[in-house]
Amino acid sequence: MPVWLELALRVGGVMVAFLVLPLIVGQTEHKVMAHMQGRLGPMYAGAFHGWAQLVADGVKFAQKEDVTPRAADRPVFKFAPIIALLPYMLALLVIPLGPGDLVGQSLDIGLFFVLAVLGIGVVAVLMSGWASANKYSLLGALRAAAQLMAYELPLVLSAASVAMAAGTLSLSGIVEAWRPWWLAWQLPAAIIFFIAGLAEIRRPPFDMPVADSELVFGYMTEYTGLRFAFFLLAEYVGIVVISALTSVLFLGGWHGPGPDSLGWLWMLIKTFAVAFVVIWIRVSYPRLREDQLQRLCWLVLVPVALAQLVLTAVVRVLG
């Protein structure tokens, strides 16, 4: 196969995943929340089980007027939603769907690459908050910056623990080295990674940057139409990326009963199972206050992540 054709197929596959998987997660969230909270609206559009709710939302966003505040920094304001999507699209390039060639681009430093590009998200938030010329947007952006910079540390420490256990930074290599007993050995790191991942994508209960009861809608207050939809899409792609990373690092990725040819199926099942937990937590837990959010990070997650890292180092040295 020519190199250009292989490259086109890989990029095309990643783009399909980038566009389809978040929509499935969004539709699932509508239905799960409707069942758990007794909502009638998401079950109405399109009759049977509200199958057209996502279509209706898309049409609604497309029809809304694209408004830019008069005092806004227009180029930065318009470019911020694209920057919000960029890190997750890049992350999907290196997350393996299955063994062999079922990955956009296999990198020996795949874990390092993903953690690095995820940090770009805070830039988009600061851009949108500053450029909106709105005090609520700016407050939301500053909250988001403080939250993302804090939770970046436990996220990296917990990922470093499993990378040290596997002896590689390659995501495919980590899956190959994974063993079922890691579910117990690396459990603290898995919980920390998942919690820090929720904070990184600003999902409830870590949604102080968009606290609607205090900040209207935080750094997204001034956005309308498709630009607002891009921010929502970034949130759902973030759910897919965090769920897929959790599956790759701590749940064995494509490992499961049956032949390796079904590995992609097990990877998708695990990813959507973790995404369901993300949705369930949104419905079940109230928003953390800013002081509670920072206390959880610095007094609980960081010390436990450091202890897990030391434990992993000791086991590797003695093993």
Side-chain angles (χ1 to χ4, degrees):
M1 180 184 299
V3 175
W4 65 268
L5 180 57
E6 181 180 357
L7 179 63
L9 290 175
R10 290 179 181 275
V11 173
V14 171
M15 288 303 299
V16 169
F18 177 75
L19 295 173
V20 173
L21 296 182
L23 297 182
I24 296 176
V25 171
Q27 181 77 345
T28 303
E29 182 170 60
H30 276 107
K31 305 312 167 190
V32 171
M33 292 180 65
H35 280 295
M36 295 184 72
Q37 297 180 332
R39 296 184 179 188
L40 298 180
M43 294 298 183
Y44 181 78
F48 177 70
H49 212 67
W51 66 268
Q53 180 63 51
L54 203 63
V55 178
D57 287 341
V59 173
K60 175 186 69 175
F61 285 127
Q63 290 180 335
K64 284 188 174 181
E65 183 181 2
D66 182 14
V67 178
T68 302
R70 181 180 297 123
D73 186 331
R74 289 177 176 267
V76 177
F77 181 85
K78 293 180 178 181
F79 200 50
I82 300 174
I83 298 298
L85 286 168
L86 181 63
Y88 301 119
M89 183 170 64
L90 293 176
L92 286 175
L93 279 171
V94 299
I95 297 178
L97 180 61
D101 293 331
L102 287 178
V103 58
Q105 179 61 54
S106 181
L107 295 179
D108 292 336
I109 55 169
L111 179 59
F112 177 83
F113 176 82
V114 169
L115 295 177
V117 298
L118 288 181
I120 301 175
V122 67
V123 177
V125 173
L126 289 173
M127 287 172 62
S128 61
W130 174 260
S132 294
N134 181 302
K135 63 181 180 180
Y136 295 111
S137 298
L138 182 58
L139 284 172
L142 293 176
R143 284 184 178 184
Q147 176 174 313
L148 297 180
M149 286 189 289
Y151 279 84
E152 192 80 19
L153 182 57
L155 185 80
V156 171
L157 289 175
S158 56
S161 175
V162 72
M164 184 183 296
T168 179
L169 288 172
S170 167
L171 292 176
S172 297
I174 291 173
V175 177
E176 294 288 354
W178 183 86
R179 297 294 180 269
W181 62 278
W182 284 19
L183 291 172
W185 178 35
Q186 296 295 326
L187 180 61
I191 295 174
I192 293 169
F193 185 89
F194 179 74
I195 294 175
L198 288 181
E200 284 286 313
I201 58 177
R202 300 169 294 282
R203 287 284 298 185
F206 301 97
D207 58 337
M208 282 296 291
V210 291
D212 51 355
S213 58
E214 304 171 21
L215 302 178
V216 188
F217 215 63
Y219 60 91
M220 294 185 284
T221 297
E222 298 293 348
Y223 284 90
T224 59
L226 289 178
R227 289 197 178 91
F228 182 75
F230 284 166
F231 274 115
L232 293 185
L233 178 61
E235 178 180 333
Y236 288 123
V237 183
I239 295 175
V240 173
V241 169
I242 293 299
S243 300
L245 282 175
T246 303
S247 302
V248 166
L249 297 177
F250 301 101
L251 301 179
W254 61 76
H255 289 305
D260 284 347
S261 59
L262 294 177
W264 62 272
L265 178 60
W266 288 111
M267 179 64 185
L268 289 177
I269 290 174
K270 293 174 183 179
T271 299
F272 281 109
V274 176
F276 174 82
V277 176
V278 174
I279 297 169
W280 174 75
I281 289 176
R282 173 182 180 175
V283 180
S284 304
Y285 288 92
R287 179 185 303 125
L288 294 176
R289 298 194 314 265
E290 186 67 26
D291 61 312
Q292 294 173 328
L293 188 146
Q294 296 292 341
R295 188 179 298 115
L296 173 64
C297 175
W298 295 108
L299 298 184
V300 179
L301 298 186
V302 171
V304 175
L306 287 171
Q308 176 67 39
L309 195 62
V310 171
L311 173 63
T312 303
V314 169
V315 172
R316 286 287 294 175
V317 170
L318 296 181

